Amino acid sequence: MVTNSTAHNQMVVSRLGFDLQALEIFITVCRTGSMTAAATHADLTQSAVSRQILNLERRLGVSLIERGSRPLKPTLAGQKLVNVAERLIAEASAVPAQLQSADVRMIPQLRLGLIDSLSDPLVPILIKALRDRVGSISVATGFMEPLRQRLLKRELDAVISADPFDDVDGFERFELFQEQFVVLVSRGEPPFGDESEFRSFATRFPMIRSGTTTGIAQRVEQHFRRMRLEVPQAFSCDTIESIVSLVASGVGWSILTPVCVRKCISLAPAIQVLQLPGAGFSRHIYLVVRQGEMGSFAKQLSTICRRAVQKSYMPPLVAVAPWMVDAITVAQS
C-alpha cells in the first residue's frame, strides 16, 4: 500500500534525483570507506545501503563510488556530490533551530492602505512601531472606495478606513475610534448659537466641499438631506490640505472631521473648529483584514493605532478647541 506521504517522497525523489536520506548514506559510505560500516552506522543492512547508492547513481546518471578501491572512494562526481550534500544536510539540520528561535511576532510583509485624512501623523507612527515586527511595509493612501477594491483584489493586506466591510464575508474588523464631524471656519467667526444660525450661515457663505467621490462628501450630503438643508455649490477640492488652506485664507467654510484638522495642524492658528449645532453626525474608523491571515498581529496593529490616536491626535486637537476632547472616542481594545 502506498501512503500519501510515501507517494509525496517518491515525487520529490523523481523530480530531484535524490532525497536527504540517500545523501546521508552516501556521505557515510565515503567517510567510512565501507558499505558494511555505513550500514552499521545507519542501522541498515549492507544490501540496503548498496541499493541506495546504486539508485542514487542511476537517478543522477553518474558513477559515484570507485568500487575497485579499498577502502571505497568517491569518484570525481562523487566528491562534488559530497560537498553539495554536506551543505544541503547542514542547512536542513538547522531548520528546526531557526524556526524555534524565530520571532513569532515577525511577519514578512504588510501592505497597508488607509484613507488620506489619516496619513499624517499616523503613517510615520505606524512605520516606527512596526519596523521590528514586519519585514517590509508598503503604505497606500487615498479614497475609501479604491482602497476597498484593492483589499478585495488582495493587492492590500489591511485597510484603515470608515468602511467596515460588513457586506462581504471573510474579513475581520477592529473598530479604532469614532469621530464627530465638525465645522471649519476662518478665524474670527462667532460660534453658532443654534441650528437656525448655522442654517443661515450655511446658505449665505460659500462652502468648500470635499470631492464628490470621497466618503466624507457622501456623509456630509446625507446629513444635509436629513436636515433638509440646501447648501449652494461653490467650491470642491479632492485633498484635505486644499480645503483647510482655503478655509484659512477666508475663502469659505467646510465640514470635516477632527483627524482632518490634525493632518493640517500647522494651519490651526488661521481657522476655528466649531461644533455642528443640532443633531450632529459621526463616522467610525476600522482596521479591516482578511479573516485568519494575520493571526494575532491584526489585534496588535489595532492597539497601536488606538494608542496613536490617543497620544498623537487628541492633545493637539484639544489645544485647538478644548471641546474636541469629546469629539473623538477611542474604541476599547
Side-chain angles (χ1 to χ4, degrees), residues 162-206:
D163 185 351
F165 284 73
D166 53 4
D167 59 333
V168 288
D169 295 328
F171 289 92
E172 292 182 84
R173 56 200 59 82
F174 302 82
E175 183 176 352
L176 303 180
F177 62 92
Q178 177 184 5
E179 61 175 348
Q180 301 292 322
F181 280 78
V182 297
V183 181
L184 272 65
V185 297
S186 57
R187 180 65 64 180
E189 281 291 336
F192 309 113
D194 54 28
E195 186 177 327
S196 63
E197 286 189 11
F198 171 70
R199 286 176 174 272
S200 175
F201 173 87
T203 55
R204 288 186 297 113
F205 293 94

Side-chain angles (χ1 to χ4, degrees), residues 187 261-262 265 268-269 271-273 312-326:
R187 180 65 64 180
V261 178
R262 177 63 182 90
I265 200 70
I271 63 172
Q272 286 187 99
V273 184
S312 299
Y313 281 73
M314 295 301 297
L317 290 172
V318 171
V320 171
W323 62 264
M324 275 203 285
V325 69
D326 297 319

Side-chain angles (χ1 to χ4, degrees), residues 9-244:
N9 290 340
Q10 290 174 345
M11 289 174 59
V12 172
V13 172
S14 175
R15 186 172 67 250
L16 299 178
F18 57 83
D19 60 16
L20 291 178
Q21 183 183 29
L23 293 181
E24 286 185 302
I25 292 172
F26 171 68
I27 289 174
T28 304
V29 170
C30 293
R31 286 175 176 170
T32 61
S34 165
M35 296 278 187
T36 303
T40 302
H41 185 274
D43 196 22
L44 295 171
T45 65
Q46 189 271 338
S47 61
V49 170
S50 181
R51 280 197 305 272
Q52 285 276 19
I53 300 301
L54 288 172
N55 287 336
L56 193 58
E57 290 178 320
R58 178 175 55 80
R59 290 168 188 147
L60 295 176
V62 293
S63 176
L64 299 173
I65 297 291
E66 293 182 2
R67 288 174 173 77
S69 66
R70 290 292 182 272
L72 297 177
K73 295 180 180 179
T75 63
L76 182 59
Q79 292 173 9
K80 291 182 179 180
L81 181 59
V82 167
N83 295 333
V84 173
E86 287 178 338
R87 185 171 66 251
L88 289 175
I89 291 170
E91 291 178 356
S93 300
V95 168
Q98 290 173 354
L99 293 177
Q100 291 166 9
S101 64
D103 187 346
V104 295
R105 299 173 304 169
M106 179 69 74
I107 63 172
Q109 175 182 254
L110 174 64
R111 298 169 300 171
L112 176 65
L114 71 166
I115 49 177
D116 182 65
S117 57
L118 278 168
S119 61
D120 189 16
L122 186 57
V123 168
I125 291 172
L126 289 180
I127 289 177
K128 289 179 181 178
L130 296 175
R131 58 189 172 189
D132 294 330
R133 306 186 193 190
V134 182
S136 67
I137 305 173
S138 61
V139 178
T141 62
F143 297 147
M144 191 164 62
E145 182 57 28
L147 292 175
R148 173 189 175 88
Q149 294 305 317
R150 292 189 66 182
L151 184 61
L152 291 174
K153 294 176 182 177
R154 306 186 73 88
E155 294 175 0
L156 294 173
D157 302 309
V159 164
I160 300 174
S161 76
D163 185 351
F165 284 73
D166 53 4
D167 59 333
V168 288
D169 295 328
F171 289 92
E172 292 182 84
R173 56 200 59 82
F174 302 82
E175 183 176 352
L176 303 180
F177 62 92
Q178 177 184 5
E179 61 175 348
Q180 301 292 322
F181 280 78
V182 297
V183 181
L184 272 65
V185 297
S186 57
R187 180 65 64 180
E189 281 291 336
F192 309 113
D194 54 28
E195 186 177 327
S196 63
E197 286 189 11
F198 171 70
R199 286 176 174 272
S200 175
F201 173 87
T203 55
R204 288 186 297 113
F205 293 94
M207 179 183 181
I208 305 164
R209 284 173 161 85
S210 182
T212 56
T213 60
T214 68
I216 288 179
Q218 293 167 6
R219 293 298 311 280
V220 170
E221 296 307 318
Q222 288 172 1
H223 184 68
F224 286 163
R225 286 195 294 273
R226 283 194 298 268
M227 293 179 66
R228 296 181 181 177
L229 175 62
E230 293 188 9
V231 178
Q233 295 288 336
F235 310 104
S236 68
C237 299
D238 282 339
T239 67
I240 300 299
E241 294 89 343
S242 297
I243 294 172
V244 179

Side-chain angles (χ1 to χ4, degrees), residues 245-323:
S245 179
L246 288 173
V247 172
S249 300
V251 173
W253 64 281
S254 189
I255 294 180
L256 293 173
T257 68
V259 298
C260 300
V261 178
R262 177 63 182 90
K263 189 172 192 284
C264 303
I265 200 70
S266 62
L267 295 172
I271 63 172
Q272 286 187 99
V273 184
L274 304 178
Q275 290 176 286
L276 194 65
F281 65 114
S282 63
R283 69 173 180 174
H284 295 257
I285 301 297
Y286 304 88
L287 165 68
V288 178
V289 301
R290 280 182 290 277
Q291 196 166 29
E293 292 194 6
M294 300 185 73
S296 62
F297 178 77
K299 187 174 182 180
Q300 295 171 14
L301 180 56
S302 68
T303 299
I304 294 170
C305 291
R306 293 187 191 106
R307 289 175 180 168
V309 172
Q310 194 72 53
K311 294 181 179 181
S312 299
Y313 281 73
M314 295 301 297
L317 290 172
V318 171
V320 171
W323 62 264

